[in-house]
Amino acid sequence: MLAMTLPSEIETGPSRRPDQPPAGAHMLDRHIRAAASRVLQAREHVFFEGDPIHHVYQIVKGTVCLYMTLPDGRRQIVDFAHAGDFIGLGESGEHSIAAQASTLTKLRCLPAGALHEVARHDPQVGVQLYRALSDQLAAARNLLLTVGRRSATERLATLLLALSRRNERMGADPARISLPMSRAEIADFLSLTIETVSRSFTKLRQSGTIDLIQSTLVLIRDRRALEQLCADEPAAGR
Amino acid sequence: MLAMTLPSEIETGPSRRPDQPPAGAHMLDRHIRAAASRVLQAREHVFFEGDPIHHVYQIVKGTVCLYMTLPDGRRQIVDFAHAGDFIGLGESGEHSIAAQASTLTKLRCLPAGALHEVARHDPQVGVQLYRALSDQLAAARNLLLTVGRRSATERLATLLLALSRRNERMGADPARISLPMSRAEIADFLSLTIETVSRSFTKLRQSGTIDLIQSTLVLIRDRRALEQLCADEPAAGR
DNA sequence: CGAGTCGTTGATTCTTTTCAAAGCCCGTGG
DNA sequence: CCACGGGCTTTGAAAAGAATCAACGACTCG
């Protein structure tokens, strides 16, 4: 198992500036900066179901899909992790889910033991991890609602709108969505088949809701219609 | 394993008694014991989607279902909370899900602010809440796999086996399952209709896998068959 | 005992899956 | 530079599974 990082080692991070705040507000950032990083090609795995847990990872760049499988091969993607997100949080012993890069991805590797040790001593870090976990719980439950109760087209609309909103938050064009995942991944995320995903794209295109510039590049033409389909919030004052 | 709590900070809690144990191991329990409790009849709500967050609750007795709804009324139950479980963890601002008692239920009410304050000062408590949240995340993802990728009968088998295993953990008869929820709740949990749930029960009964003593009391006759249907673990050495 | 809720069963419809094949995009190699 | 091959995506037709619509039965509570 991994020993606690010594304070001196914390300083290792590249590009630290001396004007740091007094409290532990950025302790986590520091540890992350000090961590080893790892680059994965699309389709490479970060870890598999059942692997012993060594690290918690933070996505620096790219998209990672987290999935579970049944023995007969049926697969359910339970989350897509994007830049900034943590994966492997809250697990102990061995991984209960697998993580696979969807695109070229860069990760920071945080030794799990050390991270939890830090969290134990530094409430700030603990709170940060707690929040991250809460967000993942909320995401899982939202996906559950989508998969359990929405139709195929509604599911796709929900995904597109989520990606659009993500663009918005990141300062990118919310009407132009570059899909970081394949049809197969979308299918396994939305609990559909690739054929149904494809047909749903076609339906949205034919209804004028979206444009498909390429199979991986979507333009939202009618956001209202998309929101109507998701119907997650009574889309009132927007 | 766990870091020592700072003795001075432990003293902060309200209604502290002098016979406290040395470590923070029972801090959370104590706060819980000191908390107000609340009794709800079946179908009463603990809180609704959108309610401001005042408390985190721990179930003392009974079963609470947590659900989300779409504006048109479609409902997805995302979890059933049983005795010992926390509900309302990880939320902030207002509740994103609703909580409704399935049976006569007793809760302990923990003021959310105070609890988080304690967690901030006492890593033991923080870790406990973190674990509870991790468990909920794992549960949500498992349910996602079930709902997304299993057939109707498999879903029901998965639920029955989960309840059976829960009995096992609690020292009750794993072959005798007393369902604390209605068909409608099972349907909304497994993303089916009540008719399909009923038909799945019938199928399991007719295949000799279970007995239905009453609509709410199930006897497992062929556990192997049930495990086969779930196929969550290669059911090898069991 | 009657009303009402909850659960089961049946017939039909609908959505999605499955099976099958063609089209498209892209990189490779001639 | 263009032809070829392979994977990914789209489209079509048929089949399966679950939902819907409808009615009946069972249990519970006044």
Side-chain angles (χ1 to χ4, degrees):
Chain A
M1 184 46 111
L2 289 169
M4 173 62 185
T5 319
L6 301 172
S8 55
E9 294 177 22
I10 300 184
E11 298 300 332
T12 340
S15 71
R16 290 294 307 161
R17 280 169 295 136
D19 59 315
Q20 65 202 31
H26 296 103
M27 275 297 284
L28 184 52
D29 287 351
R30 278 185 173 188
H31 276 83
I32 289 169
R33 262 189 265 282
S37 63
R38 190 172 150 195
V39 173
L40 295 102
Q41 300 299 315
R43 327 205 90 242
E44 255 190 284
H45 275 79
V46 185
F47 49 77
F48 289 89
E49 230 162 322
D51 280 1
I53 294 185
H54 297 124
H55 298 90
V56 167
Y57 302 86
Q58 192 184 32
I59 319 283
V60 176
K61 197 167 77 77
T63 301
V64 172
C65 89
L66 306 174
Y67 67 87
M68 306 173 76
T69 51
L70 292 176
D72 65 2
R74 284 176 284 180
R75 181 171 89 137
Q76 177 65 48
I77 293 177
V78 297
D79 207 0
F80 285 108
H82 304 276
D85 295 342
F86 289 95
I87 61 180
L89 278 184
E91 305 221 74
S92 54
E94 50 182 52
H95 287 289
S96 60
I97 61 177
Q100 181 183 30
S102 294
T103 63
L104 180 66
T105 294
K106 187 175 167 188
L107 304 169
R108 287 264 167 62
C109 311
L110 312 159
L115 183 65
H116 290 132
E117 196 59 34
V118 173
R120 207 160 291 131
H121 293 301
D122 183 344
Q124 296 267 27
V125 174
V127 169
Q128 254 182 94
L129 298 183
Y130 187 79
R131 291 249 169 86
L133 207 55
S134 301
D135 290 346
Q136 289 184 32
L137 179 60
R141 287 174 168 173
N142 271 317
L143 181 57
L144 190 51
L145 175 64
T146 296
V147 159
R149 291 304 181 196
R150 287 197 241 244
S151 72
T153 311
E154 288 171 344
R155 291 183 211 181
L156 183 57
T158 303
L159 171 61
L160 292 178
L161 204 49
L163 290 172
S164 168
R165 285 176 179 158
R166 169 154 220 291
N167 273 3
E168 223 162 13
R169 282 198 307 280
M170 309 294 290
D173 183 353
R176 183 187 178 81
I177 301 169
S178 174
L179 299 172
M181 68 287 277
S182 68
R183 292 292 185 268
E185 285 175 312
I186 294 176
D188 284 346
F189 183 62
L190 300 178
S191 298
L192 298 168
T193 58
I194 50 178
E195 293 95 330
T196 303
V197 170
S198 186
R199 280 185 248 271
S200 301
F201 267 114
T202 303
K203 215 175 277 181
L204 289 179
R205 182 169 49 68
Q206 287 177 344
S207 70
T209 307
I210 63 169
D211 258 6
L212 274 170
I213 312 295
Q214 308 162 40
S215 71
T216 180
L217 185 59
V218 178
L219 234 68
I220 298 182
R221 296 183 73 89
D222 186 350
R223 178 170 252 261
R224 185 88 10 157
L226 221 50
E227 287 169 339
Q228 216 73 35
L229 281 168
C230 301
D232 51 353
E233 295 152 65
R238 273 176 183 269
Chain B
M1 178 192 180
L2 289 172
M4 193 59 188
T5 319
L6 298 175
S8 56
E9 294 180 20
I10 299 184
E11 301 299 332
T12 341
S15 68
R16 303 287 307 154
R17 282 170 293 135
D19 60 313
Q20 67 200 32
H26 298 102
M27 275 297 285
L28 184 51
D29 287 350
R30 277 185 172 187
H31 275 85
I32 289 169
R33 261 189 266 284
S37 64
R38 191 172 149 195
V39 173
L40 295 102
Q41 299 300 315
R43 328 205 89 244
E44 256 190 282
H45 275 80
V46 185
F47 49 77
F48 290 88
E49 230 163 320
D51 281 0
I53 294 183
H54 297 125
H55 298 90
V56 167
Y57 302 87
Q58 191 185 31
I59 319 284
V60 175
K61 198 168 78 74
T63 302
V64 172
C65 89
L66 306 175
Y67 68 87
M68 306 174 76
T69 51
L70 292 176
D72 65 3
R74 284 175 285 181
R75 182 171 88 139
Q76 178 66 47
I77 293 179
V78 298
D79 207 0
F80 286 108
H82 304 277
D85 295 343
F86 289 96
I87 63 180
L89 280 184
E91 306 221 72
S92 54
E94 50 182 52
H95 287 289
S96 60
I97 61 177
Q100 182 183 29
S102 294
T103 63
L104 180 67
T105 294
K106 187 175 167 187
L107 304 168
R108 286 264 167 61
C109 311
L110 312 159
L115 183 65
H116 290 133
E117 196 56 35
V118 173
R120 203 160 295 126
H121 293 301
D122 182 346
Q124 296 266 27
V125 173
V127 169
Q128 257 183 89
L129 299 183
Y130 187 79
R131 291 250 170 86
L133 207 55
S134 301
D135 290 346
Q136 290 184 32
L137 178 60
R141 287 175 169 173
N142 270 316
L143 180 57
L144 189 52
L145 175 64
T146 295
V147 159
R149 291 305 180 194
R150 287 196 241 247
S151 72
T153 310
E154 289 171 341
R155 291 182 212 182
L156 183 57
T158 304
L159 171 61
L160 292 178
L161 205 48
L163 290 172
S164 168
R165 286 176 178 157
R166 169 153 219 292
N167 273 3
E168 224 162 12
R169 282 199 306 280
M170 308 293 289
D173 183 352
R176 183 188 177 81
I177 301 170
S178 175
L179 298 172
M181 68 288 276
S182 68
R183 293 292 185 269
E185 285 175 311
I186 295 176
D188 284 346
F189 183 63
L190 300 179
S191 297
L192 298 168
T193 58
I194 51 177
E195 294 95 329
T196 303
V197 169
S198 187
R199 279 186 249 271
S200 301
F201 267 114
T202 302
K203 216 176 277 181
L204 289 179
R205 182 168 49 68
Q206 287 177 344
S207 70
T209 307
I210 62 169
D211 257 5
L212 273 172
I213 311 294
Q214 307 162 41
S215 71
T216 180
L217 184 60
V218 178
L219 233 69
I220 299 181
R221 296 182 72 89
D222 187 350
R223 179 170 252 261
R224 185 88 10 155
L226 221 48
E227 286 169 342
Q228 215 74 34
L229 280 169
C230 301
D232 50 353
E233 296 151 63
R238 272 176 183 269

